[in-house]
Amino acid sequence: MPPRYTVFGHPVAHSRSPDIHRCFAEQEGVGLVYTRTLVDKDKTAFVTAVKRFFDEGGSGANVTLPFKHDAFEWVQECSERALSARSVNTLIPLANGGLRGDNTDGAGLVWDLSENLNICLNNKKILLLGAGGAACGVVSPLLERLPESITVANRTAAKARELAQRFGVEYADFGQLAQRRFDIVINATSGSVSGEVPAVPADIFSGSLLAYDMYYADTETAFMRFARENGARQCADGLGMLVGQAAESYRLWRGFSPDVRSVIEEIRRGRK
Ligand code: ATR
C-alpha cells in the first residue's frame, strides 16, 4: 500500500493540499495518496478522526481551520514553533504510537517573503493585520529575521494588544495607523475570504515595499487591489506561503525537500 496522508478541516473541499502534495510526490518519484478529510466542527470528532487515520496506518496529516488549536492541545509532543504559535498544522506519527505536532505556516511565509519575493526582512518595519490564529502563527518566525519592528493591528484592538504583549511587539488599533509608514504590510485577517478589506487608513501603503495577503485566490484579492491603488510597490497573495508550508510538512514527513517554485508556477497555471 502506498503511504497515506490527509488534511483534516471543516470546510476542506477547497483545500489545494492534495494537488500540491501530488506535485511533491512526482518530484520525489514516489506514489502516495493524499486525501481531504471533512470532520464535524467539534474537538471530539476531530480527535476521533485523527486517531482512526493513524490507527489505520496513516503516514502524516495536515490540519486546517478550525482545528489547529485543538490539534495543538491534543498532540503528545510539540515543536518549539507550534508551542509559540499555540497551533499545529502538521501531524507526524511517533515510534511510540503518539503524535508530534508542528507548525510550518510561519516557515512558509518567511520562505515566500525572503527566498521567493526577495524581500530582506532585516531592519524592516512590518505591520501585521489581524490577531487570530493565522497572525499568531507567524510572529515568531518573522521576529527571527530581525525586523526593525513588528506592529500588530486588529479590528478588535484588545486582541491585538494581547497578541503583541505575548510576543513583545507593538500594537495599534486601525485608527492609530494614520500617517504611520511601514515597509511590509501583511494581511493575516480572514476578511479576504469574503472580499473584505480591513478598515485601515489608505496612506499606510504609501512607499511600502510589499503588501502581502496571506489569502490566495485565482485573481487579485481586494486587499491587494486596495494596497496597489494606494501606493504599495509590490503586492503578493499567499500562494507561495501555502506551497511553502506544504513543502516543510512534506520534508518533516519524508525527509525530502521539494522544489517549491515550480509547484507555485504549476498551481498558478491551473495545471494541477
Ligand atoms: P484565522 O485563524 O484565519 O486567523 P480567526 O482566528 O477567526 O481566523 O481570526 C480572524 C482574524 O481576521 C481576526 O483578527 C479578525 O478580527 P477580529 O478579531 O476583530 O474579529 C480578522 N477579521 C475578519 N474579518 C475581518 C474584516 N472584515 N476586517 C478586519 N478584520 C477582519
Side-chain angles (χ1 to χ4, degrees):
M1 260 227 308
R4 288 191 307 117
Y5 300 85
T6 197
V7 53
F8 296 98
H10 188 124
V12 78
H14 66 286
S15 171
R16 301 303 307 268
S17 293
D19 309 317
I20 294 169
H21 285 279
R22 207 173 304 131
C23 294
F24 294 164
E26 274 172 26
Q27 286 184 18
E28 194 193 350
V30 291
L32 58 77
V33 175
Y34 189 113
T35 57
R36 301 177 179 89
T37 305
L38 178 68
V39 181
D40 283 348
K41 269 189 189 164
D42 163 70
K43 186 174 178 181
T44 313
F46 168 68
V47 168
T48 305
V50 171
K51 274 188 181 156
R52 186 183 314 126
F53 178 75
F54 284 99
D55 284 348
E56 291 173 355
S59 298
N62 286 123
V63 180
T64 187
L65 300 179
F67 301 118
K68 290 185 184 187
H69 187 70
D70 291 340
F72 164 70
E73 288 185 327
W74 182 67
V75 288
Q76 288 71 51
E77 188 183 301
C78 223
S79 69
E80 278 287 316
R81 52 194 182 180
L83 206 59
S84 149
R86 295 183 191 165
S87 151
V88 157
N89 79 334
T90 305
L91 297 171
I92 304 148
L94 294 167
N96 65 10
L99 286 176
R100 176 177 170 82
D102 205 330
N103 190 316
T104 65
D105 288 332
L109 173 67
V110 167
W111 175 85
D112 196 23
L113 294 174
S114 53
E115 309 296 320
N116 195 34
L117 300 168
N118 288 318
I119 300 283
C120 171
L121 299 172
N122 184 222
N123 284 327
K124 296 295 189 302
K125 293 190 183 76
I126 299 177
L127 172 63
L128 183 62
L129 301 173
C136 190
V138 300
V139 179
S140 280
L142 288 171
L143 279 173
E144 281 172 18
R145 295 302 171 115
L146 306 176
E148 182 181 315
S149 61
I150 295 183
T151 305
V152 179
N154 191 46
R155 183 175 59 185
T156 309
K159 278 171 66 182
R161 185 173 60 232
E162 196 187 305
L163 192 147
Q165 284 172 348
R166 211 175 104 201
F167 290 98
V169 299
E170 296 170 19
Y171 68 92
D173 62 38
F174 287 167
Q176 291 169 325
L177 294 174
Q179 285 161 30
R180 297 273 310 265
R181 293 289 180 271
F182 298 92
D183 300 305
I184 300 164
V185 182
I186 300 172
N187 183 20
T189 74
S190 53
S192 292
V193 178
S194 44
E196 290 167 36
V197 179
V200 291
D203 59 3
I204 60 166
F205 297 104
S206 159
S208 65
L209 294 174
L210 175 71
Y212 188 94
D213 197 342
M214 281 168 53
Y215 183 71
Y216 149 66
D218 289 335
T219 51
E220 183 182 54
T221 68
F223 172 79
M224 288 165 67
R225 186 166 55 251
F226 182 66
R228 179 172 52 77
E229 287 170 355
N230 288 289
R233 272 189 246 166
Q234 189 183 348
C235 298
D237 70 16
L239 180 61
M241 174 179 176
L242 180 71
V243 183
Q245 62 78 29
E248 179 65 357
S249 296
Y250 196 93
R251 189 186 68 77
L252 293 169
W253 295 325
R254 304 193 53 80
F256 175 86
S257 296
D259 174 58
V260 183
R261 273 197 198 93
S262 60
V263 178
I264 294 173
E265 279 163 28
E266 245 175 287
I267 302 276
R268 199 69 89 188
R269 286 199 304 263
R271 286 185 46 199
K272 286 283 170 181

